[in-house]
Amino acid sequence: MESANIKQILEAYFEGETTLAEEKLLENYFNNEKISGDLLQYQPLFAGLKAAKAEQSTRAFNLPETSKQKIIKTWWYGVAAMLVVAFGVGTFFFSQPQYSQEEKEALAAFEKSKQAMLLLSENLNKGTQQLTHVSQFEKTKDRIFE
């Protein structure tokens, strides 16, 4: 019966569903000398886990202490970032051109005259296309009357 109970706990152990008390029971069972023959294959696993628990590092670790200077340094980084953003936003807003009413009217008149010149240019280009037909007519006429 004990072997069947251990097998059920082992299945739950490998699924990650055991409690600490059940894991302790498995550890005690596999570290004893009385293990059933069909469960001998799991003994090296638990022996290795026991050996891993007993290991200790001889290396000394020095952990840095959090000091007040690091907190102040972090605070200054935040202030510096905020100043950079404020400077960028201010530069953007103050670099926008501020036109007077007279300058705005002049720009509007310029745009209207620009549109008128484009319209005139389009119409002149249409007229020059018609002239190519006339020049072709003259060349053909000169050939006929020669």
Side-chain angles (χ1 to χ4, degrees):
M1 180 64 187
E2 186 178 322
S3 178
N5 186 22
I6 293 296
K7 284 182 182 179
Q8 287 178 346
I9 296 173
L10 260 178
E11 287 181 31
Y13 178 76
F14 289 126
E15 293 295 321
E17 299 172 352
T18 56
T19 63
L20 290 177
E22 291 172 333
E23 289 178 14
K24 188 70 172 169
L25 178 73
L26 285 175
E27 183 180 322
N28 289 338
Y29 177 79
F30 284 105
N31 288 327
N32 287 337
E33 310 249 339
K34 299 177 186 176
I35 301 173
S36 70
D38 57 338
L39 297 175
L40 277 175
Q41 61 184 350
Y42 300 111
Q43 185 179 14
L45 172 71
F46 287 95
L49 290 174
K50 182 179 180 181
K53 274 187 182 178
E55 286 183 9
Q56 289 186 357
S57 176
T58 58
R59 184 175 178 192
F61 294 98
N62 296 326
L63 298 176
E65 295 181 20
T66 56
S67 65
K68 195 173 186 179
Q69 289 178 342
K70 287 188 179 183
I71 294 171
I72 291 174
K73 196 181 234 186
T74 306
W75 184 76
W76 277 106
Y77 288 148
V79 170
M82 197 167 51
L83 287 174
V84 167
V85 169
F87 180 74
V89 169
T91 302
F92 175 74
F93 281 118
F94 288 120
S95 69
Q96 298 296 321
Q98 301 296 327
Y99 296 120
S100 66
Q101 185 63 29
E102 186 178 309
E103 288 173 325
K104 289 178 184 177
E105 290 172 3
L107 283 172
F110 171 73
E111 288 299 321
K112 283 184 181 179
S113 62
K114 185 176 167 183
Q115 288 176 354
M117 290 292 179
L118 284 173
L119 183 63
L120 178 66
S121 173
E122 288 175 8
N123 288 332
L124 283 176
N125 285 336
K126 287 179 186 176
T128 55
Q129 288 175 355
Q130 295 298 327
L131 288 176
T132 57
H133 296 299
V134 172
S135 65
Q136 184 66 32
F137 176 74
E138 285 184 21
K139 286 180 186 177
T140 308
K141 180 187 76 161
D142 288 342
R143 282 187 186 168
I144 293 175
F145 290 120
E146 282 184 358

